Amino acid sequence: NAGVTQTPKFRILKIGQSMTLQCTQDMNHNYMYWYRQDPGMGLKLIYYSVGAGITDKGEVPNGYNVSRSTTEDFPLRLELAAPSQTSVYFCASSYVRTNSPLHFGNGTRLTVT
Amino acid sequence: GIQVEQSPPDLILQEGANSTLRCNFSDSVNNLQWFHQNPWGQLINLFYIPSGTKQNGRLSATTVATERYSLLYISSSQTTDSGVYFCAVERGRDTGRRALTFGSGTRLQVQP
């Protein structure tokens, strides 16, 4: 199993550009999450999904959109990138919410200039 | 939402020393996990431990749910233990948001 795979690893965007961060998992997990980590800080939840076709907002959803058309994929869309979105983005998944460990991808480092 | 406080924020150890990291949380939880973020940024799950005690090699964790805290013990520390340790919890009561809330972490540096 590859686990949770995120692409790209690094990206530099100009202010106002858009992009999609890709996340796929091959563990047949039903729960998937997007977190962002600012320098020296903990992780904040952006969006999450409890299954295909179901998504919900986390703590910091503004400026982002998600979709979940399949169990495996959970892309994160940034529209009109802003410097405040400079961060490291982590995708994660788990099988069952309350008694399954959370598995993380290796992250995408995004810089908006 | 639920508050998660970790202490100490920073810790420097000599190789071979033992340490205890603490996580306090503000509400009852049905999910508590400890993670290690290595110097390359990778997040590794260490323990799923909403209550009780678990051990894995030199690491062990104890959660006292009734008193709303969890402890992570690192014995005979090694330089490879360096990084940031995060505690993350999910509230026991159904609040509609079904995801982990992270603390701000304890940054550990183990010196040779």
Side-chain angles (χ1 to χ4, degrees):
Chain A
N1 286 350
V4 181
T5 302
Q6 292 184 237
T7 57
K9 288 183 172 56
F10 304 93
R11 183 73 185 266
I12 298 174
L13 283 182
K14 294 190 185 302
I15 295 171
Q17 288 185 321
S18 300
M19 75 165 293
T20 298
L21 281 66
Q22 302 291 345
C23 175
T24 188
Q25 52 91 10
D26 62 358
M27 298 174 281
N28 202 29
H29 286 172
N30 47 354
Y31 287 85
M32 295 189 74
Y33 308 84
W34 277 104
Y35 286 90
R36 60 176 284 174
Q37 184 181 28
D38 298 331
M41 305 292 285
L43 282 75
K44 292 190 184 300
L45 182 68
I46 305 172
Y47 272 95
Y48 67 99
S49 168
V50 301
I54 305 169
T55 62
D56 209 345
K57 296 178 180 179
E59 297 173 76
V60 289
N62 291 344
Y64 307 95
N65 279 299
V66 294
S67 60
R68 184 96 181 271
S69 57
T70 67
T71 300
E72 295 79 17
D73 300 307
F74 190 40
L76 177 72
R77 178 82 177 162
L78 278 72
E79 303 283 1
L80 298 176
S84 61
Q85 293 177 304
T86 294
S87 191
V88 180
Y89 291 84
F90 288 98
C91 179
S93 71
S94 66
Y95 180 57
V96 175
R97 167 172 59 99
T98 58
N99 63 3
S100 175
L102 194 62
H103 297 265
F104 279 93
N106 287 335
T108 294
R109 185 176 297 275
L110 175 67
T111 301
V112 182
T113 61
Chain B
I2 192 167
Q3 304 301 311
V4 184
E5 294 183 0
Q6 292 187 242
S7 60
D10 296 281
L11 186 58
I12 300 175
L13 297 175
Q14 291 299 120
E15 203 166 21
N18 303 327
S19 62
T20 301
L21 283 58
R22 186 177 179 100
C23 172
N24 292 334
F25 41 94
S26 61
D27 205 342
S28 61
V29 299
N30 61 5
N31 187 351
L32 187 149
Q33 301 186 29
W34 283 95
F35 296 87
H36 176 222
Q37 187 169 38
N38 64 26
W40 297 270
Q42 294 174 315
L43 283 153
I44 307 299
N45 190 290
L46 298 175
F47 293 103
Y48 166 80
I49 186 164
S51 63
T53 298
K54 289 186 178 179
Q55 181 157 5
N56 184 1
R58 296 181 295 103
L59 301 181
S60 64
T62 295
T63 297
V64 183
T66 54
E67 298 187 22
R68 299 182 184 172
Y69 73 88
S70 182
L71 302 173
L72 178 68
Y73 304 97
I74 304 174
S75 65
S76 303
S77 58
Q78 300 176 358
T79 56
T80 52
D81 294 330
S82 296
V84 184
Y85 290 81
F86 290 105
C87 169
V89 304
E90 182 180 349
R91 283 178 66 176
R93 287 175 284 168
D94 184 5
T95 64
R97 178 175 294 163
R98 294 172 282 180
L100 292 171
T101 297
F102 281 73
S104 54
T106 291
R107 185 174 301 274
L108 174 64
Q109 183 180 347
V110 180
Q111 296 178 336

mmCIF file of all heavy atoms in Angstrom, chain A residues 49-91:
data_model
loop_
_atom_site.group_PDB
_atom_site.id
_atom_site.type_symbol
_atom_site.label_atom_id
_atom_site.label_comp_id
_atom_site.label_asym_id
_atom_site.label_seq_id
_atom_site.Cartn_x
_atom_site.Cartn_y
_atom_site.Cartn_z
ATOM 1 N N SER A 49 -14.243 14.864 5.090
ATOM 2 C CA SER A 49 -15.272 14.101 4.390
ATOM 3 C C SER A 49 -15.436 12.749 5.067
ATOM 4 O O SER A 49 -14.447 12.087 5.375
ATOM 5 C CB SER A 49 -14.864 13.901 2.928
ATOM 6 O OG SER A 49 -15.698 12.945 2.313
ATOM 7 N N VAL A 50 -16.688 12.354 5.277
ATOM 8 C CA VAL A 50 -16.935 11.068 5.921
ATOM 9 C C VAL A 50 -17.294 9.985 4.913
ATOM 10 O O VAL A 50 -17.560 8.843 5.290
ATOM 11 C CB VAL A 50 -18.021 11.179 7.008
ATOM 12 C CG1 VAL A 50 -17.602 12.184 8.066
ATOM 13 C CG2 VAL A 50 -19.359 11.577 6.410
ATOM 14 N N GLY A 51 -17.289 10.338 3.640
ATOM 15 C CA GLY A 51 -17.547 9.355 2.600
ATOM 16 C C GLY A 51 -17.764 10.054 1.274
ATOM 17 O O GLY A 51 -17.904 11.283 1.219
ATOM 18 N N ALA A 52 -17.780 9.273 0.214
ATOM 19 C CA ALA A 52 -17.967 9.846 -1.125
ATOM 20 C C ALA A 52 -19.258 10.650 -1.170
ATOM 21 O O ALA A 52 -20.309 10.196 -0.710
ATOM 22 C CB ALA A 52 -17.973 8.738 -2.173
ATOM 23 N N GLY A 53 -19.156 11.865 -1.706
ATOM 24 C CA GLY A 53 -20.305 12.735 -1.856
ATOM 25 C C GLY A 53 -20.648 13.570 -0.641
ATOM 26 O O GLY A 53 -21.578 14.381 -0.675
ATOM 27 N N ILE A 54 -19.884 13.403 0.454
ATOM 28 C CA ILE A 54 -20.177 14.115 1.704
ATOM 29 C C ILE A 54 -18.942 14.885 2.153
ATOM 30 O O ILE A 54 -17.876 14.296 2.357
ATOM 31 C CB ILE A 54 -20.584 13.143 2.828
ATOM 32 C CG1 ILE A 54 -21.757 12.257 2.382
ATOM 33 C CG2 ILE A 54 -20.947 13.913 4.094
ATOM 34 C CD1 ILE A 54 -22.037 11.113 3.335
ATOM 35 N N THR A 55 -19.073 16.207 2.278
ATOM 36 C CA THR A 55 -17.966 17.025 2.782
ATOM 37 C C THR A 55 -18.512 18.011 3.797
ATOM 38 O O THR A 55 -19.710 18.338 3.796
ATOM 39 C CB THR A 55 -17.262 17.801 1.654
ATOM 40 O OG1 THR A 55 -18.184 18.706 1.051
ATOM 41 C CG2 THR A 55 -16.709 16.853 0.600
ATOM 42 N N ASP A 56 -17.616 18.502 4.669
ATOM 43 C CA ASP A 56 -18.035 19.466 5.676
ATOM 44 C C ASP A 56 -16.875 20.357 6.040
ATOM 45 O O ASP A 56 -15.702 19.987 5.882
ATOM 46 C CB ASP A 56 -18.564 18.763 6.921
ATOM 47 C CG ASP A 56 -19.610 19.601 7.650
ATOM 48 O OD1 ASP A 56 -19.727 20.815 7.362
ATOM 49 O OD2 ASP A 56 -20.324 19.047 8.510
ATOM 50 N N LYS A 57 -17.212 21.574 6.506
ATOM 51 C CA LYS A 57 -16.207 22.563 6.833
ATOM 52 C C LYS A 57 -15.545 22.250 8.164
ATOM 53 O O LYS A 57 -16.172 21.735 9.092
ATOM 54 C CB LYS A 57 -16.846 23.954 6.903
ATOM 55 C CG LYS A 57 -17.399 24.440 5.588
ATOM 56 C CD LYS A 57 -18.053 25.807 5.737
ATOM 57 C CE LYS A 57 -18.615 26.283 4.412
ATOM 58 N NZ LYS A 57 -19.272 27.604 4.530
ATOM 59 N N GLY A 58 -14.264 22.633 8.234
ATOM 60 C CA GLY A 58 -13.533 22.575 9.490
ATOM 61 C C GLY A 58 -13.405 23.955 10.099
ATOM 62 O O GLY A 58 -14.286 24.802 9.950
ATOM 63 N N GLU A 59 -12.265 24.187 10.783
ATOM 64 C CA GLU A 59 -12.055 25.466 11.474
ATOM 65 C C GLU A 59 -11.764 26.624 10.533
ATOM 66 O O GLU A 59 -12.141 27.762 10.792
ATOM 67 C CB GLU A 59 -10.839 25.354 12.414
ATOM 68 C CG GLU A 59 -10.929 24.368 13.531
ATOM 69 C CD GLU A 59 -9.574 24.283 14.231
ATOM 70 O OE1 GLU A 59 -9.222 25.189 15.005
ATOM 71 O OE2 GLU A 59 -8.848 23.292 13.978
ATOM 72 N N VAL A 60 -11.036 26.358 9.433
ATOM 73 C CA VAL A 60 -10.527 27.437 8.569
ATOM 74 C C VAL A 60 -10.854 27.165 7.103
ATOM 75 O O VAL A 60 -9.967 27.054 6.257
ATOM 76 C CB VAL A 60 -9.006 27.635 8.775
ATOM 77 C CG1 VAL A 60 -8.720 28.248 10.128
ATOM 78 C CG2 VAL A 60 -8.239 26.314 8.610
ATOM 79 N N PRO A 61 -12.133 27.109 6.703
ATOM 80 C CA PRO A 61 -12.488 26.723 5.333
ATOM 81 C C PRO A 61 -12.439 27.853 4.302
ATOM 82 O O PRO A 61 -12.456 27.574 3.090
ATOM 83 C CB PRO A 61 -13.928 26.246 5.489
ATOM 84 C CG PRO A 61 -14.464 27.091 6.618
ATOM 85 C CD PRO A 61 -13.295 27.280 7.547
ATOM 86 N N ASN A 62 -12.372 29.103 4.758
ATOM 87 C CA ASN A 62 -12.484 30.224 3.817
ATOM 88 C C ASN A 62 -11.328 30.233 2.826
ATOM 89 O O ASN A 62 -10.164 30.153 3.209
ATOM 90 C CB ASN A 62 -12.527 31.548 4.579
ATOM 91 C CG ASN A 62 -13.818 31.704 5.353
ATOM 92 O OD1 ASN A 62 -14.797 30.992 5.103
ATOM 93 N ND2 ASN A 62 -13.832 32.604 6.306
ATOM 94 N N GLY A 63 -11.657 30.378 1.551
ATOM 95 C CA GLY A 63 -10.662 30.420 0.494
ATOM 96 C C GLY A 63 -10.368 29.068 -0.124
ATOM 97 O O GLY A 63 -9.528 28.968 -1.023
ATOM 98 N N TYR A 64 -11.066 28.030 0.338
ATOM 99 C CA TYR A 64 -10.835 26.661 -0.141
ATOM 100 C C TYR A 64 -12.148 25.998 -0.526
ATOM 101 O O TYR A 64 -13.207 26.369 -0.028
ATOM 102 C CB TYR A 64 -10.179 25.811 0.957
ATOM 103 C CG TYR A 64 -8.928 26.384 1.568
ATOM 104 C CD1 TYR A 64 -8.992 27.138 2.742
ATOM 105 C CD2 TYR A 64 -7.685 26.180 0.979
ATOM 106 C CE1 TYR A 64 -7.851 27.680 3.307
ATOM 107 C CE2 TYR A 64 -6.537 26.708 1.549
ATOM 108 C CZ TYR A 64 -6.628 27.455 2.721
ATOM 109 O OH TYR A 64 -5.491 27.980 3.282
ATOM 110 N N ASN A 65 -12.033 25.004 -1.412
ATOM 111 C CA ASN A 65 -13.163 24.151 -1.736
ATOM 112 C C ASN A 65 -12.684 22.715 -1.887
ATOM 113 O O ASN A 65 -11.516 22.481 -2.232
ATOM 114 C CB ASN A 65 -13.845 24.590 -3.040
ATOM 115 C CG ASN A 65 -14.794 25.743 -2.805
ATOM 116 O OD1 ASN A 65 -15.750 25.630 -2.058
ATOM 117 N ND2 ASN A 65 -14.510 26.865 -3.443
ATOM 118 N N VAL A 66 -13.568 21.776 -1.626
ATOM 119 C CA VAL A 66 -13.232 20.364 -1.762
ATOM 120 C C VAL A 66 -14.355 19.639 -2.480
ATOM 121 O O VAL A 66 -15.477 20.138 -2.594
ATOM 122 C CB VAL A 66 -12.995 19.683 -0.393
ATOM 123 C CG1 VAL A 66 -11.763 20.241 0.301
ATOM 124 C CG2 VAL A 66 -14.222 19.796 0.485
ATOM 125 N N SER A 67 -14.023 18.445 -2.926
ATOM 126 C CA SER A 67 -15.016 17.535 -3.479
ATOM 127 C C SER A 67 -14.589 16.123 -3.130
ATOM 128 O O SER A 67 -13.408 15.862 -2.883
ATOM 129 C CB SER A 67 -15.140 17.708 -4.994
ATOM 130 O OG SER A 67 -13.885 17.441 -5.618
ATOM 131 N N ARG A 68 -15.543 15.209 -3.118
ATOM 132 C CA ARG A 68 -15.234 13.806 -2.820
ATOM 133 C C ARG A 68 -16.133 12.945 -3.710
ATOM 134 O O ARG A 68 -17.175 12.471 -3.315
ATOM 135 C CB ARG A 68 -15.482 13.491 -1.336
ATOM 136 C CG ARG A 68 -15.081 12.065 -0.959
ATOM 137 C CD ARG A 68 -13.710 12.000 -0.377
ATOM 138 N NE ARG A 68 -13.315 10.646 -0.027
ATOM 139 C CZ ARG A 68 -13.546 10.070 1.156
ATOM 140 N NH1 ARG A 68 -14.200 10.732 2.110
ATOM 141 N NH2 ARG A 68 -13.111 8.849 1.383
ATOM 142 N N SER A 69 -15.660 12.756 -4.935
ATOM 143 C CA SER A 69 -16.457 11.978 -5.897
ATOM 144 C C SER A 69 -16.174 10.483 -5.785
ATOM 145 O O SER A 69 -16.996 9.667 -6.204
ATOM 146 C CB SER A 69 -16.208 12.454 -7.321
ATOM 147 O OG SER A 69 -14.832 12.366 -7.622
ATOM 148 N N THR A 70 -15.037 10.114 -5.227
ATOM 149 C CA THR A 70 -14.695 8.705 -5.035
ATOM 150 C C THR A 70 -14.191 8.497 -3.611
ATOM 151 O O THR A 70 -13.818 9.459 -2.927
ATOM 152 C CB THR A 70 -13.608 8.227 -6.010
ATOM 153 O OG1 THR A 70 -12.373 8.898 -5.686
ATOM 154 C CG2 THR A 70 -13.975 8.527 -7.452
ATOM 155 N N THR A 71 -14.142 7.251 -3.169
ATOM 156 C CA THR A 71 -13.583 6.963 -1.847
ATOM 157 C C THR A 71 -12.109 7.318 -1.779
ATOM 158 O O THR A 71 -11.618 7.769 -0.744
ATOM 159 C CB THR A 71 -13.769 5.464 -1.512
ATOM 160 O OG1 THR A 71 -15.148 5.144 -1.507
ATOM 161 C CG2 THR A 71 -13.173 5.130 -0.145
ATOM 162 N N GLU A 72 -11.400 7.146 -2.887
ATOM 163 C CA GLU A 72 -9.936 7.284 -2.875
ATOM 164 C C GLU A 72 -9.436 8.724 -2.901
ATOM 165 O O GLU A 72 -8.365 9.015 -2.381
ATOM 166 C CB GLU A 72 -9.342 6.545 -4.075
ATOM 167 C CG GLU A 72 -9.530 5.041 -4.077
ATOM 168 C CD GLU A 72 -10.929 4.638 -4.523
ATOM 169 O OE1 GLU A 72 -11.648 5.466 -5.136
ATOM 170 O OE2 GLU A 72 -11.327 3.490 -4.231
ATOM 171 N N ASP A 73 -10.167 9.628 -3.553
ATOM 172 C CA ASP A 73 -9.623 10.943 -3.852
ATOM 173 C C ASP A 73 -10.340 12.063 -3.098
ATOM 174 O O ASP A 73 -11.567 12.068 -2.981
ATOM 175 C CB ASP A 73 -9.717 11.212 -5.361
ATOM 176 C CG ASP A 73 -8.935 10.185 -6.160
ATOM 177 O OD1 ASP A 73 -7.742 10.001 -5.860
ATOM 178 O OD2 ASP A 73 -9.534 9.573 -7.070
ATOM 179 N N PHE A 74 -9.544 13.048 -2.662
ATOM 180 C CA PHE A 74 -10.115 14.175 -1.916
ATOM 181 C C PHE A 74 -9.297 15.413 -2.255
ATOM 182 O O PHE A 74 -8.455 15.866 -1.488
ATOM 183 C CB PHE A 74 -10.065 13.867 -0.416
ATOM 184 C CG PHE A 74 -10.827 14.834 0.452
ATOM 185 C CD1 PHE A 74 -12.061 15.338 0.062
ATOM 186 C CD2 PHE A 74 -10.320 15.225 1.692
ATOM 187 C CE1 PHE A 74 -12.782 16.205 0.871
ATOM 188 C CE2 PHE A 74 -11.019 16.099 2.516
ATOM 189 C CZ PHE A 74 -12.247 16.585 2.105
ATOM 190 N N PRO A 75 -9.516 16.016 -3.438
ATOM 191 C CA PRO A 75 -8.732 17.189 -3.828
ATOM 192 C C PRO A 75 -9.163 18.453 -3.093
ATOM 193 O O PRO A 75 -10.342 18.616 -2.756
ATOM 194 C CB PRO A 75 -9.011 17.299 -5.332
ATOM 195 C CG PRO A 75 -10.347 16.645 -5.511
ATOM 196 C CD PRO A 75 -10.421 15.552 -4.487
ATOM 197 N N LEU A 76 -8.190 19.338 -2.885
ATOM 198 C CA LEU A 76 -8.419 20.631 -2.232
ATOM 199 C C LEU A 76 -8.141 21.729 -3.254
ATOM 200 O O LEU A 76 -7.056 21.796 -3.823
ATOM 201 C CB LEU A 76 -7.495 20.803 -1.027
ATOM 202 C CG LEU A 76 -7.574 22.137 -0.281
ATOM 203 C CD1 LEU A 76 -8.890 22.230 0.504
ATOM 204 C CD2 LEU A 76 -6.391 22.301 0.665
ATOM 205 N N ARG A 77 -9.123 22.580 -3.475
ATOM 206 C CA ARG A 77 -9.017 23.643 -4.468
ATOM 207 C C ARG A 77 -8.801 24.976 -3.773
ATOM 208 O O ARG A 77 -9.549 25.324 -2.838
ATOM 209 C CB ARG A 77 -10.306 23.695 -5.299
ATOM 210 C CG ARG A 77 -10.351 24.788 -6.343
ATOM 211 C CD ARG A 77 -9.626 24.384 -7.592
ATOM 212 N NE ARG A 77 -9.743 25.418 -8.622
ATOM 213 C CZ ARG A 77 -8.926 25.489 -9.675
ATOM 214 N NH1 ARG A 77 -7.945 24.608 -9.830
ATOM 215 N NH2 ARG A 77 -9.090 26.433 -10.576
ATOM 216 N N LEU A 78 -7.763 25.713 -4.220
ATOM 217 C CA LEU A 78 -7.544 27.077 -3.765
ATOM 218 C C LEU A 78 -7.941 28.024 -4.890
ATOM 219 O O LEU A 78 -7.413 27.928 -6.009
ATOM 220 C CB LEU A 78 -6.071 27.326 -3.432
ATOM 221 C CG LEU A 78 -5.534 26.884 -2.082
ATOM 222 C CD1 LEU A 78 -5.422 25.371 -2.034
ATOM 223 C CD2 LEU A 78 -4.195 27.535 -1.814
ATOM 224 N N GLU A 79 -8.865 28.894 -4.617
ATOM 225 C CA GLU A 79 -9.271 29.907 -5.582
ATOM 226 C C GLU A 79 -8.702 31.246 -5.153
ATOM 227 O O GLU A 79 -8.746 31.583 -3.976
ATOM 228 C CB GLU A 79 -10.801 30.005 -5.623
ATOM 229 C CG GLU A 79 -11.512 28.711 -5.938
ATOM 230 C CD GLU A 79 -11.482 28.327 -7.412
ATOM 231 O OE1 GLU A 79 -10.879 29.077 -8.209
ATOM 232 O OE2 GLU A 79 -12.050 27.271 -7.752
ATOM 233 N N LEU A 80 -8.163 32.020 -6.090
ATOM 234 C CA LEU A 80 -7.667 33.373 -5.806
ATOM 235 C C LEU A 80 -6.687 33.345 -4.633
ATOM 236 O O LEU A 80 -6.956 33.863 -3.544
ATOM 237 C CB LEU A 80 -8.843 34.304 -5.485
ATOM 238 C CG LEU A 80 -9.853 34.504 -6.618
ATOM 239 C CD1 LEU A 80 -11.017 35.361 -6.159
ATOM 240 C CD2 LEU A 80 -9.166 35.128 -7.830
ATOM 241 N N ALA A 81 -5.546 32.688 -4.827
ATOM 242 C CA ALA A 81 -4.570 32.496 -3.758
ATOM 243 C C ALA A 81 -4.155 33.824 -3.130
ATOM 244 O O ALA A 81 -3.971 34.843 -3.818
ATOM 245 C CB ALA A 81 -3.343 31.770 -4.294
ATOM 246 N N ALA A 82 -3.972 33.786 -1.794
ATOM 247 C CA ALA A 82 -3.557 34.957 -1.023
ATOM 248 C C ALA A 82 -2.338 34.582 -0.187
ATOM 249 O O ALA A 82 -2.147 33.408 0.138
ATOM 250 C CB ALA A 82 -4.691 35.419 -0.113
ATOM 251 N N PRO A 83 -1.485 35.582 0.175
ATOM 252 C CA PRO A 83 -0.294 35.275 0.990
ATOM 253 C C PRO A 83 -0.636 34.540 2.285
ATOM 254 O O PRO A 83 0.178 33.744 2.769
ATOM 255 C CB PRO A 83 0.300 36.652 1.245
ATOM 256 C CG PRO A 83 -0.131 37.483 0.071
ATOM 257 C CD PRO A 83 -1.509 36.999 -0.262
ATOM 258 N N SER A 84 -1.834 34.769 2.831
ATOM 259 C CA SER A 84 -2.228 34.105 4.079
ATOM 260 C C SER A 84 -2.405 32.596 3.903
ATOM 261 O O SER A 84 -2.497 31.876 4.910
ATOM 262 C CB SER A 84 -3.537 34.706 4.599
ATOM 263 O OG SER A 84 -4.573 34.512 3.649
ATOM 264 N N GLN A 85 -2.440 32.143 2.658
ATOM 265 C CA GLN A 85 -2.568 30.708 2.404
ATOM 266 C C GLN A 85 -1.209 30.015 2.274
ATOM 267 O O GLN A 85 -1.166 28.806 2.026
ATOM 268 C CB GLN A 85 -3.424 30.459 1.160
ATOM 269 C CG GLN A 85 -4.873 30.884 1.370
ATOM 270 C CD GLN A 85 -5.717 30.708 0.137
ATOM 271 O OE1 GLN A 85 -5.396 31.241 -0.934
ATOM 272 N NE2 GLN A 85 -6.812 29.970 0.268
ATOM 273 N N THR A 86 -0.145 30.766 2.433
ATOM 274 C CA THR A 86 1.186 30.159 2.498
ATOM 275 C C THR A 86 1.244 29.263 3.719
ATOM 276 O O THR A 86 1.042 29.714 4.851
ATOM 277 C CB THR A 86 2.275 31.239 2.580
ATOM 278 O OG1 THR A 86 2.287 31.976 1.365
ATOM 279 C CG2 THR A 86 3.646 30.614 2.817
ATOM 280 N N SER A 87 1.499 27.981 3.489
ATOM 281 C CA SER A 87 1.421 27.007 4.579
ATOM 282 C C SER A 87 1.866 25.647 4.049
ATOM 283 O O SER A 87 2.160 25.482 2.867
ATOM 284 C CB SER A 87 -0.026 26.917 5.088
ATOM 285 O OG SER A 87 -0.099 26.174 6.288
ATOM 286 N N VAL A 88 1.916 24.679 4.958
ATOM 287 C CA VAL A 88 2.087 23.290 4.546
ATOM 288 C C VAL A 88 0.738 22.597 4.712
ATOM 289 O O VAL A 88 0.117 22.699 5.769
ATOM 290 C CB VAL A 88 3.152 22.554 5.380
ATOM 291 C CG1 VAL A 88 3.286 21.109 4.914
ATOM 292 C CG2 VAL A 88 4.500 23.271 5.268
ATOM 293 N N TYR A 89 0.301 21.927 3.664
ATOM 294 C CA TYR A 89 -1.020 21.301 3.655
ATOM 295 C C TYR A 89 -0.861 19.789 3.762
ATOM 296 O O TYR A 89 -0.107 19.175 3.016
ATOM 297 C CB TYR A 89 -1.758 21.659 2.361
ATOM 298 C CG TYR A 89 -2.134 23.119 2.316
ATOM 299 C CD1 TYR A 89 -1.215 24.074 1.893
ATOM 300 C CD2 TYR A 89 -3.390 23.533 2.728
ATOM 301 C CE1 TYR A 89 -1.541 25.424 1.874
ATOM 302 C CE2 TYR A 89 -3.733 24.882 2.711
ATOM 303 C CZ TYR A 89 -2.803 25.814 2.287
ATOM 304 O OH TYR A 89 -3.140 27.143 2.284
ATOM 305 N N PHE A 90 -1.591 19.226 4.713
ATOM 306 C CA PHE A 90 -1.557 17.785 4.935
ATOM 307 C C PHE A 90 -2.930 17.189 4.683
ATOM 308 O O PHE A 90 -3.940 17.672 5.185
ATOM 309 C CB PHE A 90 -1.139 17.462 6.366
ATOM 310 C CG PHE A 90 0.301 17.722 6.672
ATOM 311 C CD1 PHE A 90 0.696 18.888 7.296
ATOM 312 C CD2 PHE A 90 1.261 16.775 6.337
ATOM 313 C CE1 PHE A 90 2.031 19.129 7.578
ATOM 314 C CE2 PHE A 90 2.592 16.999 6.613
ATOM 315 C CZ PHE A 90 2.985 18.178 7.228
ATOM 316 N N CYS A 91 -2.935 16.111 3.946
ATOM 317 C CA CYS A 91 -4.119 15.291 3.769
ATOM 318 C C CYS A 91 -3.990 14.082 4.680
ATOM 319 O O CYS A 91 -2.881 13.572 4.908
ATOM 320 C CB CYS A 91 -4.227 14.855 2.314
ATOM 321 S SG CYS A 91 -5.645 13.810 1.942
#
